[in-house]
Amino acid sequence: MPKSIKGTILVDGAEVPVSNPDKLLWPEAGISKRIYLEKLAELSPYLLKYCKNRLLTTIRYPGGIHGKFFYQKNAPDPLPPFVRTALHENIRYVVMDSLPVLLWLGNLACIEFHPSLHYVGESLPCEWMIDLDPSREEEPRIMEAAAIVGDVLASLGLASVPKTSGATGVQIIVPVEYGVTFDELRSIGHFVARYVTEKHPGLFTIERLKKDRGDKIYFDYLQHYGGKTLAAPYTPRARAAASVSTPLTWEEVRKDPKPSDFNLLNIGRRLKERRDLLAAVPPQSVKLILQHLRGPVKV
């Protein structure tokens, strides 16, 4: 951890306040706020990358993960001088673009970090995300479902990276060449969703209402929209295992891991070994897929 100075830590020249460092945030995992801040510092090169210059929504658990929680969109007062904000639709969001900001939020017991899918002041998506959302709390088929979607994307010529949500689901990320719109990506998502649902009707659904999904896995292509958020790669989650939303290889997916396998206590070792799997995939072009979906040009 950075150097402590009377209830603060000195981080990159900024004094970040620290209160109740021994407060247990994840009791089952034995993770106090002090340990949490250490783990955030360890995660910061990766987590900050996917939150930088985006509108941030966080979920705060002042009493730990089993206590009351609330979503924070508007930046709280007072703000330290090192915190940048951005106004969007009358909400002043925190922009988490540095280690001091991350640790300041961690001290406020912000446990989950959900950035916008577009950059500050822009309306085009940063990447394409498919959200596979189980209807059951325990879903043994989630990795099977992810592998099926990954194979379909590969058949379309798209490289992708699966990641655990850290909760129950899986997100599949496709880095895309800049310039494609949310509407265009949703049209591709709808195409893939319909295809896998027709091929595997007992596994997938595109039914929006939870009560009508049964035990099927919801292929959420609608979540990818301006103003929406998804759990950032490498964000911790408010789960007993202190799980972390973790990018995987497709080989790992086929070994059927559990989201709890990747957590605050072991993520540092994994990142030293694997580094950032998302960074290894270059931006993908979806132009040919969009042309196919639009059909032949009429003259």
Side-chain angles (χ1 to χ4, degrees):
M1 280 291 289
K3 184 179 178 182
S4 297
I5 304 176
K6 295 183 179 179
T8 68
I9 49 178
L10 187 62
V11 186
D12 295 342
E15 289 191 19
V16 180
V18 176
S19 57
N20 301 318
D22 297 323
K23 173 70 181 176
L24 277 177
L25 297 180
W26 284 269
E28 290 88 348
I31 297 176
S32 64
K33 186 186 289 186
R34 185 195 312 276
I35 295 172
Y36 178 45
L37 295 180
E38 291 173 353
K39 297 302 181 182
L40 283 181
E42 188 175 45
L43 280 169
S44 62
Y46 306 92
L47 178 56
L48 287 174
K49 179 178 179 180
Y50 297 102
C51 293
K52 188 170 287 188
N53 200 31
R54 305 197 195 198
L55 308 168
L56 184 69
T57 297
T58 65
I59 310 179
R60 291 175 61 176
Y61 290 78
I65 65 166
H66 299 302
K68 293 182 179 180
F69 65 91
F70 60 94
Y71 286 78
Q72 177 181 289
K73 288 181 178 284
N74 270 302
D77 288 323
L79 281 178
F82 54 80
V83 177
R84 181 166 76 94
T85 62
L87 189 65
H88 179 75
E89 296 182 350
N90 296 317
I91 296 174
R92 185 160 294 282
Y93 289 89
V94 169
V95 181
M96 193 169 74
D97 54 5
S98 68
L99 179 57
V101 176
L102 173 59
L103 296 182
W104 170 71
L105 289 169
N107 182 62
L108 294 177
C110 295
I111 283 178
E112 300 192 7
F113 302 92
H114 298 247
S116 62
L117 303 174
H118 57 86
Y119 295 121
V120 171
E122 299 190 17
S123 60
L124 296 177
C126 308
E127 65 275 304
W128 179 28
M129 281 200 194
I130 294 169
D131 189 21
L132 301 180
D133 186 13
S135 300
R136 303 183 290 184
E137 182 64 26
E138 294 291 333
E139 177 50 85
R141 304 170 298 171
I142 187 62
M143 292 298 167
E144 174 192 356
I148 289 170
V149 175
D151 287 343
V152 173
L153 294 174
S155 74
L156 295 172
L158 295 175
S160 60
V161 180
K163 77 174 181 72
T164 65
S165 70
T168 59
V170 169
Q171 282 104 38
I172 299 173
I173 302 175
V174 181
V176 291
E177 292 181 353
Y178 191 74
V180 66
T181 68
F182 280 108
D183 286 343
E184 288 171 330
L185 290 179
R186 272 198 314 281
S187 70
I188 303 174
H190 184 223
F191 169 74
V192 175
R194 285 183 57 189
Y195 179 82
V196 298
T197 301
E198 290 171 6
K199 288 286 187 180
H200 305 274
L203 183 59
F204 294 99
T205 181
I206 55 174
E207 173 56 58
R208 295 184 66 183
L209 297 178
K210 283 189 175 182
K211 66 181 182 66
D212 295 330
R213 294 178 192 168
D215 65 353
K216 298 176 184 178
I217 295 169
Y218 178 46
F219 189 120
D220 189 354
Y221 64 92
L222 294 170
Q223 183 71 11
H224 200 72
Y225 205 95
K228 296 286 189 178
T229 65
L230 279 171
Y234 309 108
T235 180
R237 300 302 299 264
R239 295 278 167 156
S243 50
V244 172
S245 181
T246 304
L248 308 174
T249 67
W250 286 112
E251 180 182 4
E252 287 178 310
V253 166
R254 290 177 173 85
K255 293 179 180 177
D256 196 27
K258 294 180 173 57
S260 58
D261 292 343
F262 312 98
N263 55 65
L264 282 172
L265 298 177
N266 63 23
I267 190 66
R269 183 171 67 251
R270 175 182 174 82
L271 290 174
K272 286 179 182 177
E273 296 171 355
R274 296 277 189 169
R275 311 305 295 176
D276 181 13
L277 295 176
L278 280 166
V281 178
Q284 308 286 295
S285 173
V286 296
K287 289 180 180 178
L288 290 178
I289 301 171
L290 289 170
Q291 288 175 11
H292 173 77
L293 294 178
R294 290 169 183 150
V297 178
K298 294 181 179 179
V299 293

